[in-house]
């Protein structure tokens, strides 16, 4: 039987999510799938669009890859606009041809609304919606001093942040009397305005623009209806969205009075073979402008096409938890108390800059809505009360009061019903999490992988962790922080004990705070802690028994029992003379030679007894150990920066060398990698590193806690436009806080995800010095920098340490006669099989 054809028009976030759901469903086997995307790029994450100005590329924001589409058998037509739909013939037309369909999905999204203002089409009047739009904004910002965003809603404030990140003096013009009028009331809007203006963005409310004309002191002038004006070099319209329903309208589908493609509960239009999902769809006179409802529609439609008779879209919660220009904003349910009989409870701390409002039912038992500005720590609890109809406490005001004023603790996981929504982006309930744990998931990471919870916007991370830990404990799985059976402490607690009590040996630590003789878990961990605290040589007498093989011999053991040698090449910069030395050494010892991904040279195949000899030659030539064997700083990758590159705006090589020289030798819970890019083209791939630095015209943007390991993660933007000294100080603090508080073998990415409060808490600790330890962290780092030693230089000069590298007592230079080799591509490598 021949396959049917399913065509999807639109390759945005919702369209892509539908494909993810449908391609793994049974019905996928019955269809050939064709996708049309109007943009030239694959579907990308519009929720984090502003990160494009912080150095993210389309690849960073992409929802999938071309390989994924090919692997699913999907015919992908990018940069091909559908111009018409013939519903009778069941065909769609594009400039390149006509295509037949059996089922058609409209995921055309929305377009930005541009108010009908005279002059709105002048040069440098732009919109904020696509990557092409952002490229246009960036181009327009060249030579500009000021920029104005028309619209003070969510997207408008995101756009203002983007203009600010481009170095412009940013203004926001809003027609309503307050910012975010849909989500906030007058008091909340006033506080948000004051906080945003403190950050350098000027806000103009109750302003109606009558015309945009040529400016006198700038490119443009905005004339307002109160006869005032504002001159600017750039205008970005972000005044809301409108459903992209032109195709549906032209084809005769039912359209709402104010736009939008009318759909039923199964996401089907007035034509049974045409469906609509996302921001183009109108359900019960409502357009849903958030991604989570669009994802729910996508899942509903996929189930419907699989003949699931119970599949139904019944609306979506429009609660939002945001951080706008660094300011917490939350809005839940009926935030404006429109329900008959609704009552309000408000808490307003002008000194702290916190505003909270609860909207409760007339009988005081149900939370109908809430508004939060300045502090979202109460959001998760309030959201669960609202979504699940949990009866409010006798004194409901305790839910928004600070604990010092009688505030109640956060809602515990046991109070949530099985149907409680934990992750709205992927529609993951508490019941789904419990099911994943019952099916074998035994930690937070595996639950995330199984359910996709907290892999969307990430706003539910803290709540998810609480639920997972609680459910594991209820099933008798102890959520223990103990390092191992020998120490009833976490790594963080052991670090504290070592540092505060001045403990310098494992023997002292275990005798005073542990039991037994230690194991392969605690010994290397304690060795790392001791090295971080006191910076003694790793082969000091008391430290040697703690190390694994690689650290013991200061080289990575390979599969055939030989070792690799990786000298440090800071920033990837190397002189011709040093390159020649590496070649000569490799040739003399017949070592396999490879350029690493971190801009270093790896020499493979040295025997144990050869290591000191080889390092002696390298050290004489000026090389240092690259610590490729340790849980420490590995590399600081760089591009060539403004020294050579015509796009570079800062000296990325110089900064990379400075960072590598500063942090080399630092022992950490896991290996650490850094990178420095000289411009936002990001040739050094800084955002895939634990610490990534990207040059701006005003300094450096710092990204933290990314990695390229088994679970790749892009780093998060941490601070912008830092001077050289500010950058160093900020990295010092983050690195030392990580070293002190992370778990054993915990990457920076996982560490930050498990921090209570995540990225925002880390910012408070580092940038705002919330814990008052900033200076202490800096001093600790200075101490480590001041006591650095090249471990190999120390080892080759110490006869006792060199003895450790003898393979045979009676023949110290003898090589291992057992190794079998072969030659491939001109170099010696281990034979895969015995002859």
């Amino acid at each position: 039987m021949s396959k049917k054809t399913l065509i999807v028009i639109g390759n945005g976030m919702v369209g892509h999510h539908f494909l993810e759901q449908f391609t793994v469903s049974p019905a996928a086997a019955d269809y050939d799938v064709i996708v049309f995307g109007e943009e030239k790029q694959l579907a990308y994450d519009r929720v984090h669009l502003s990160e494009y100005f912080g150095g993210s590329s389309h690849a960073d924001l992409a929802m999938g890859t071309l390989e994924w589409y090919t692997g699913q058998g999907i015919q992908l037509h990018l940069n091909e606009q559908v111009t018409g739909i013939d519903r009778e013939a069941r065909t769609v037309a594009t400039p390149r041809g006509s295509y037949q369909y059996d089922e058609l999905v409209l995921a055309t999204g929305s377009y930005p609304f541009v108010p009908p203002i005279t002059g709105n089409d002048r040069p440098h009047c732009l919109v904020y919606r696509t990557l092409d739009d952002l490229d246009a904004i960036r181009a327009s910002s060249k030579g500009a001093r000021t920029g104005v965003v028309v619209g003070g809603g969510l997207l408008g404030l995101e756009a203002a942040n983007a203009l600010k990140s481009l170095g412009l003096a940013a203004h926001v013009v809003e027609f309503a009397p307050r910012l975010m009028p849909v989500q906030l009331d007058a008091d909340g809007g006033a506080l948000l305005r004051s906080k945003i203006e403190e950050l350098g963005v000027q806000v103009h409310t109750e302003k109606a623009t009558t015309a945009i004309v040529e400016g006198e002191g700038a490119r443009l002038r905005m004339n307002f209806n109160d006869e005032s004006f504002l001159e600017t070099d750039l205008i970005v319209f972000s005044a809301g969205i409108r459903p992209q329903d032109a195709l549906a309208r032209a084809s005769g589908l039912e359209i709402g009075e104010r736009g939008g493609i009318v759909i039923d509960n199964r996401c089907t239009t007035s034509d049974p073979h045409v469906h609509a999902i996302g921001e183009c769809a109108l359900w019960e006179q409502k357009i849903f402008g958030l991604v989570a409802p669009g994802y729910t529609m996508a899942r509903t439609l996929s189930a419907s096409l699989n003949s699931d008779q119970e599949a139904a879209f019944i609306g979506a919660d429009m609660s939002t938890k945001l951080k706008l220009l660094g300011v917490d904003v939350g809005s839940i349910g009926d935030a404006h108390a429109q329900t008959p009989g609704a009552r309000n409870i408000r808490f307003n701390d002008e000194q702290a800059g916190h505003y909270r409002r609860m909207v409760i039912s007339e009988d005081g038992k149900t939370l109908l809505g809430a508004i939060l500005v300045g502090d979202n720590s109460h959001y998760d609890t309030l959201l669960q009360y609202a979504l699940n109809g949990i009866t409010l406490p006798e004194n409901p005001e305790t839910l928004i009061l600070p604990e010092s004023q009688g505030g109640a603790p956060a809602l515990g996981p046991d109070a949530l019903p099985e149907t409680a929504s934990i992750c709205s982006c992927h529609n993951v309930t508490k019941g789904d999490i419990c099911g994943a744990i019952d099916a074998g998931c035994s930690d937070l990471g595996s639950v995330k992988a199984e359910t996709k919870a907290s892999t969307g916007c990430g706003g539910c991370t803290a709540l998810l962790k609480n639920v997972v830990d609680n459910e594991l404990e209820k099933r008798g799985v102890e959520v223990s922080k103990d390092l191992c059976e020998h120490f009833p402490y976490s790594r963080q607690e052991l670090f504290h004990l070592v540092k505060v009590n001045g403990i310098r040996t494992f023997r002292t630590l275990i005798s005073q705070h542990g039991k037994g003789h230690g194991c392969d878990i605690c010994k290397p961990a304690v060795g790392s802690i001791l090295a971080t605290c006191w910076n003694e040589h790793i082969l000091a007498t008391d430290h040697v028994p703690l190390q694994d093989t690689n650290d013991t011999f200061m080289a990575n053991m390979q599969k055939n029992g030989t070792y690799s040698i990786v000298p440090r090449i800071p920033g990837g910069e190397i002189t011709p003379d040093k390159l020649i030395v590496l070649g000569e050494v490799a040739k003399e010892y017949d070592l396999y030679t490879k350029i690493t991904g971190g801009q270093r040279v790896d020499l493979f195949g040295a025997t144990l007894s050869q290591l000191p000899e080889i390092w002696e030659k390298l050290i004489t030539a000026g090389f240092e150990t690259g610590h490729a064997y340790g849980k420490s700083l590995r590399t600081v990758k760089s591009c060539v920066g403004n020294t050579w590159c015509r796009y570079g705006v800062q000296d990325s090589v110089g900064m990379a060398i400075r960072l590598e020289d500063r942090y080399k030798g630092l022992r950490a819970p896991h290996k650490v990698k850094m990178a420095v890019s000289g411009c936002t083209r990001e040739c050094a791939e800084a955002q895939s590193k634990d610490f990534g630095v990207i040059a701006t015209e005003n300094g450096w943007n710092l990204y933290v806690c990314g990695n390229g390991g088994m679970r790749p993660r892009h780093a998060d933007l941490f601070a912008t436009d830092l001077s050289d000294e500010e950058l160093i100080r900020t990295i010092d603090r983050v690195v030392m806080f990580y070293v002190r508080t992370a778990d054993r073998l915990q990457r920076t990415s996982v560490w930050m995800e498990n921090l209570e409060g995540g990225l925002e808490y880390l910012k408070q600790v580092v940038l705002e010095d919330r814990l008052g330890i900033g200076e202490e962290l800096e001093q600790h780092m200075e101490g480590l920098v001041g006591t650095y030693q090249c471990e190999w230089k120390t080892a080759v000069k110490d006869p006792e340490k060199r003895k450790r590298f003898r393979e045979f007592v009676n023949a110290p230079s003898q090589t291992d006669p057992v190794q079998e080799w072969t030659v491939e591509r001109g170099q010696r490598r281990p034979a895969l099989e015995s002859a």
Side-chain angles (χ1 to χ4, degrees), residues 38-89:
E38 187 173 331
E39 294 184 64
K40 59 180 180 291
Q41 301 102 338
L42 277 170
Y44 53 87
D45 183 355
R46 295 186 198 275
V47 173
H48 297 96
L49 195 62
S50 59
E51 294 177 10
Y52 190 62
F53 286 132
S56 293
S57 63
H58 167 259
D60 300 324
L61 299 172
M63 307 288 290
T65 63
L66 287 173
E67 290 74 18
W68 182 84
Y69 281 82
T70 302
Q72 301 300 322
I74 297 172
Q75 298 180 40
L76 180 62
H77 297 255
L78 295 177
N79 201 25
E80 186 171 351
Q81 182 180 11
V82 175
T83 56
I85 300 170
D86 185 334
R87 294 197 291 118
E88 186 174 345

Side-chain angles (χ1 to χ4, degrees), residues 398-440:
T398 59
L399 296 180
I400 58 173
L401 287 174
E403 288 189 24
S404 61
Q405 299 181 32
L411 191 68
D414 283 334
L416 302 178
E418 293 288 295
T419 56
S421 174
I422 305 301
C423 174
S424 59
C425 288
H426 291 284
N427 195 32
V428 181
T429 66
K430 178 183 173 182
D432 295 328
I433 294 167
C434 294
I437 292 173
D438 290 337

